Amino acid sequence: MAPIPDSATKGNPNDKLIIFGFGSFDGTTSSGSPYVAKIETFCRLADIPYEAERPRGTKESPKGTIPYIKHGDVVLADSEFILDYLTNTYNVKVKPSADRKLRGTAVAVKRLCEHHLTYANMYYRMTTPQGWKKVCEVFLASIPIPVRWIVGNRVRKNVHDTLYKQGFGRHSEPDVRKLFDASLCAISDILGENKYITGEEPCPEDAAVFGVLDNFVKPVIEGVPTVEQIEKYPNLVAYVENMKNTFFPESNPSKFA
């Protein structure tokens, strides 16, 4: 196996930034992909100018994943390394908390969102009949038949395999709901009455947390309990609404909408 090159760490702030990612998913504030939404939200938090484009597959992504960015001669994938790169390249306004405990808490909440709740959302969108029907309507409708069937079946099988290896795919639906509800409850307890994860000012991790939670608030799919579950925690719904109104106002909506 050939060595995997390290990700780029810094670029030219004068170069044009393009984010490649999926569009909105039937009402989500930004992208239907939490990781695409994470990058776009971070750009808004950090006041970084950017453009958005839909990818033509994954061939141009250096890691074969979406999202990825183009920035001058740099092509970079994986949202975590992209945010590091943007932080090093631009004089970003959004900063981590000065408190070590709060910084650690913010990273832990981000990991909980990205490595647990994202898989729960994937489970409901991709493995349940209602969720898969909505995915096909939104993302696959423009692909002609029979290519749509081939692509859809391949994507869905890959997701099934991923969820089985991750763990959610081995559980019943009530068990999955119990697991992801515990994560929502934990985040709600940590957030408390705060406006943002670490207090009254946003931190970089808010971009990831919002990207995930916004994809729980929308879309509403009959028979899929993600919206019902997050509405049990009014402070999480209020958090999403505040992030949306502050960084994605009606006068400046998402470029992935």
Side-chain angles (χ1 to χ4, degrees), residues 116-117 120 123-124 166-183 225 229:
H116 197 258
L117 289 179
Y123 171 90
Y124 282 105
Q166 182 269 343
F168 273 142
R170 301 169 188 261
H171 301 310
S172 67
E173 189 279 327
D175 284 351
V176 170
R177 188 185 301 206
K178 180 178 180 180
L179 289 172
F180 88 76
D181 181 66
S183 293
Q229 292 299 111

Side-chain angles (χ1 to χ4, degrees), residues 5 10 38 47-48 128 139 158 164 195 205 231 236 254:
K10 189 175 183 179
K38 169 185 175 180
D47 199 23
I48 298 172
T128 65
F139 292 119
N158 288 341
Y164 189 80
K195 196 173 181 180
E205 287 75 21
E231 286 181 344
L236 296 185
S254 166

Side-chain angles (χ1 to χ4, degrees), residues 2 4-5 8 23 29 34 56 70 110 113 122 135 255:
I4 299 173
T29 301
R56 299 176 182 175
K70 285 186 178 180
K110 177 180 72 172
C113 284
M122 190 185 300
V135 168
K255 294 184 180 182

Side-chain angles (χ1 to χ4, degrees), residues 27-250:
T28 56
T29 301
S30 178
S31 170
S33 161
Y35 302 106
V36 177
K38 169 185 175 180
I39 300 170
E40 184 179 31
T41 303
F42 181 79
C43 286
R44 303 256 174 143
L45 289 171
D47 199 23
I48 298 172
Y50 67 95
E51 296 181 7
E53 290 190 17
R54 305 295 189 269
R56 299 176 182 175
T58 59
K59 288 184 179 180
E60 292 189 37
S61 171
K63 296 184 179 180
T65 57
I66 297 170
Y68 65 94
I69 65 168
K70 285 186 178 180
H71 188 238
D73 295 331
V74 174
V75 182
L76 185 62
D78 191 290
S79 63
E80 195 70 8
F81 291 104
I82 290 171
L83 263 59
D84 284 345
Y85 172 87
L86 296 176
T87 299
N88 293 334
T89 300
Y90 295 91
N91 182 25
V92 300
K93 297 180 178 180
V94 60
K95 304 290 184 182
S97 171
D99 182 277
R100 291 180 62 187
K101 185 175 181 180
L102 288 177
R103 286 203 306 273
T105 299
V107 172
V109 172
K110 177 180 72 172
R111 293 283 189 262
L112 185 58
C113 284
E114 293 191 324
H115 297 282
H116 197 258
L117 289 179
T118 293
Y119 285 106
N121 214 347
M122 190 185 300
Y123 171 90
Y124 282 105
R125 286 184 181 181
M126 303 295 285
T127 70
T128 65
Q130 306 96 314
W132 179 242
K133 180 181 177 182
K134 178 63 73 173
V135 168
C136 291
E137 290 174 357
V138 175
F139 292 119
L140 301 182
S142 62
I143 302 175
I145 296 173
V147 178
R148 184 192 314 171
W149 298 335
I150 297 170
V151 171
N153 287 337
R154 183 182 300 165
V155 169
R156 200 177 190 201
K157 182 183 184 304
N158 288 341
V159 170
H160 273 274
D161 291 344
T162 297
L163 288 172
Y164 189 80
K165 293 172 183 176
Q166 182 269 343
F168 273 142
R170 301 169 188 261
H171 301 310
S172 67
E173 189 279 327
D175 284 351
V176 170
R177 188 185 301 206
K178 180 178 180 180
L179 289 172
F180 88 76
D181 181 66
S183 293
L184 290 174
C185 182
I187 297 169
S188 175
D189 288 343
I190 290 169
L191 180 65
E193 296 182 1
N194 287 346
K195 196 173 181 180
Y196 301 101
I197 291 299
T198 56
E200 292 303 301
E201 297 295 330
C203 64
E205 287 75 21
D206 280 298
V209 176
F210 172 71
V212 172
L213 295 184
D214 184 58
N215 271 274
F216 270 80
V217 173
K218 295 285 185 177
V220 178
I221 305 173
E222 185 177 354
V224 173
T226 50
V227 176
E228 172 189 334
Q229 292 299 111
I230 196 172
E231 286 181 344
K232 289 170 57 179
Y233 306 99
N235 64 335
L236 296 185
V237 176
Y239 169 84
V240 170
E241 192 67 18
N242 172 60
M243 288 286 292
K244 175 182 177 180
N245 292 337
T246 304
F247 300 105
F248 295 91
E250 290 185 5

